[in-house]
Amino acid sequence: MSREALDETQVELSDLINRVLDKGAVIAGSVTISVADIDLIQLDLTLVLRAIESQRIADERRHAARDPADADLPVLSGE
Amino acid sequence: MPTYLYCLGSSDGPVFADLRGIDGATVRALAARSDVWGVAWVSDLAVAPIEPTLERLRAHEAVCTAALERGETSLPMRFGQLFADDAACVSGLERNAASLARRLARVAGCVEFRIVVGAPEAPVADGSLAPTSPSGAGRAYLDRVAGRARREEAIRANCAAVAEAVSAGLASAHRVRLRDHTRCVVGRGGTAVLAHLVERDSVPSYREVVADVLRGLGDGCVLLGPHPPYSFAVDV
């Protein structure tokens, strides 16, 4: 199966973010980092990083309301 | 002042002189009070909590890599391991001493290599859940979910094919000592990553074999490393 060609510089940068934020031993702050890394990794394409705390807050707000990606999902009765 | 923890070394000794960490702080060695680890590489941090900027991630990585270059395999910490002070850091490490000892033993004498595999070149068809069903927002939503799942599966299959080719290459090269490997992990950027834990003295052979295999697969794969063993630093 053929694969899309990869830009090595971009891959290295993206991998650095994924590796250092998502991997490694955790002694303290595991909950905060674990919650945040989902969206931090999602941001690696734009190479923008946000504060863990603001990411966590944004994440909580999004889940508390509705995921914007699902905005056109029909609203169910009582929702 | 808060103490930021980068990695643990199994033997004691000073860190490199003038090694700078996050926000330009001097990296220093924090001696252990037990024999589980030799030294913790730390620095002071003026701000807390710490925000993950690209510059700080690079600084974290640079310190862990410097520890690796000292000749022993350190146990890299995930970004953001911050303690109130040195005493709290040592106390936190001692509370996890048994687990840390297992992790240090697991990675001892090894480095990590990562193979990043690109997405399939051919787009994955979105398909249709039921061609005769009426269109609508709910249908569109389910189509998107199904499309994402199919694309992720294609990326995983793509990576599995690379993993199989690399495994076959490594199996025929008896001089390569591979201690462990991860499954293909699909990232959100449309790539998948496969990590290998390679014994240091077989690194040149490993690179040679994997480079050969990847060359035969085109330019959709990249080999990165050697890195500190981030992917193998979890408890087992």
Side-chain angles (χ1 to χ4, degrees):
Chain A
M1 186 185 290
S2 60
R3 278 162 279 273
E4 289 174 356
L6 295 176
D7 176 333
E8 193 158 341
T9 306
Q10 178 104 7
V11 167
E12 280 179 4
L13 191 53
S14 172
D15 192 58
L16 165 73
I17 295 169
N18 287 333
R19 195 172 64 245
V20 178
L21 283 176
D22 189 39
K23 309 290 182 187
V26 175
I27 302 297
S30 61
V31 174
T32 302
I33 297 286
S34 295
V35 169
D37 66 9
I38 296 169
D39 287 316
L40 286 170
I41 291 171
Q42 186 175 21
L43 290 168
D44 65 18
L45 289 178
T46 50
L47 306 180
V48 174
L49 293 174
R50 295 173 63 180
I52 286 176
E53 189 62 15
S54 34
Q55 185 66 39
R56 186 181 63 77
I57 291 167
D59 216 20
E60 284 175 354
R61 281 182 184 155
R62 200 176 63 216
H63 285 300
R66 289 169 65 84
D67 189 333
D70 302 338
D72 52 354
L73 181 67
V75 177
L76 302 178
S77 171
E79 201 175 359
Chain B
M1 186 174 284
T3 299
Y4 184 90
L5 175 62
Y6 298 90
C7 59
L8 294 183
S10 54
S11 64
D12 57 8
V15 301
F16 294 120
D18 299 328
L19 180 61
R20 300 285 170 175
I22 288 176
D23 296 348
T26 302
V27 178
R28 54 195 170 80
L30 191 58
R33 290 203 299 257
S34 74
D35 58 0
V36 170
W37 69 93
V39 64
W41 294 47
V42 302
S43 69
D44 294 332
L45 194 71
V47 293
I50 182 170
E51 293 186 4
T53 64
L54 191 54
E55 190 179 30
R56 284 172 168 163
L57 289 178
R58 281 183 163 141
H60 178 105
E61 168 78 345
V63 172
C64 292
T65 301
L68 192 70
E69 288 168 356
R70 200 171 73 154
E72 67 172 43
T73 299
S74 61
L75 187 70
M77 293 288 146
R78 186 179 297 183
F79 180 88
Q81 306 299 293
L82 196 59
F83 300 84
D85 51 30
D86 284 0
C89 180
V90 170
S91 171
L93 292 171
E94 287 181 344
R95 274 199 307 275
N96 293 278
S99 161
L100 292 170
R102 283 194 298 274
R103 301 184 211 192
L104 274 164
R106 183 188 187 196
V107 301
C110 295
V111 292
E112 175 174 335
F113 279 89
R114 295 164 69 80
I115 300 172
V116 182
V117 182
E121 203 162 53
V124 178
D126 276 348
S128 172
L129 292 177
T132 56
S133 64
S135 61
R139 160 74 179 277
Y141 169 76
L142 292 174
D143 273 345
R144 280 204 309 278
V145 171
R148 279 201 298 268
R150 275 192 290 271
R151 180 167 171 78
E152 190 169 305
E153 186 50 41
I155 293 168
R156 187 173 288 110
N158 205 16
C159 183
V162 172
E164 196 176 322
V166 170
S167 292
L170 292 173
S172 62
H174 301 295
R175 60 194 185 281
V176 178
R177 284 184 295 283
L178 192 66
R179 189 175 297 176
D180 205 350
H181 64 87
T182 64
R183 291 181 297 111
C184 288
V185 177
V186 179
R188 299 208 176 193
T191 57
V193 176
L194 169 69
H196 285 155
L197 187 63
V198 183
E199 294 193 9
R200 278 172 179 264
D201 55 4
S202 64
V203 163
S205 305
Y206 170 87
R207 283 183 122 143
E208 188 182 322
V209 171
V210 174
D212 267 356
V213 173
L214 297 187
R215 205 173 297 120
L217 295 173
D219 56 0
C221 307
V222 173
L223 175 64
L224 302 176
H227 293 301
Y230 286 96
S231 302
F232 303 92
V234 293
D235 206 355
V236 285

